[in-house]
Each structure stands twice: as C-alpha cells, then as structure tokens.
Amino acid sequence: MKKVELYTQQDCPPCHIVKQFLTHHNISFIEFDIKRDAKARKHMINTLGSFSTPTVVVEDEVVTGFNIEKLEQLLL
C-alpha cells in the first residue's frame, strides 16, 4: 500500500472531495490540517513547495490542488 498524506484546511470544498475520493477507494491516508498544525503548514510550503490545499503526497509525488485525474493515475 502506498503512503498517502493529505494537507487540508476547514472550509475547503476540494479538500472534502479528495477525502471522499480516498475513502471511497479504501485508500488509507494521514490528514494534516494546516490551520491547526503550524508544523504541517511549514512542511507543506517549505518542503513540498505547495501554497494551496488540497495537497496530496503519494510516496514521493506531490499533487497540488484539486487533481482527481492525477490521483487516479497514482493510486488506482
């Protein structure tokens, strides 16, 4: 099983859709709320180079923004 990290924030409709996609396909993921977790926010920006949510990391691949097609390629 691939390691999946999901960086989200509340009131982010695309974040909720990505969570539903992952859950629907029985894909385990670790969620980080960047509004509540300053360390996760810094990691998302400084290490992953992303400034938007959702940001999904599949193994070493970073998917920034709402991109279900890319997630399907990486996960299904």
Side-chain angles (χ1 to χ4, degrees), residues 27-42:
I27 298 167
S28 297
F29 61 94
I30 301 168
E31 182 177 2
F32 300 94
D33 184 333
I34 65 161
K35 293 292 186 180
R36 295 179 181 197
D37 185 342
K39 185 176 178 182
R41 181 175 52 250
K42 285 176 119 178

Side-chain angles (χ1 to χ4, degrees), residues 46-63:
N46 297 331
T47 305
L48 303 177
S50 176
F51 295 91
S52 65
T53 57
T55 294
V56 184
V57 181
V58 179
E59 297 293 333
D60 295 328
E61 184 87 23
V62 179
V63 180

Side-chain angles (χ1 to χ4, degrees), residues 6 12-23 54 66 68 71:
L6 174 60
C12 168
C15 296
H16 296 294
I17 294 169
V18 170
K19 283 194 278 190
Q20 288 176 338
F21 168 83
L22 295 171
T23 302
F66 184 71
I68 293 295
L71 292 177

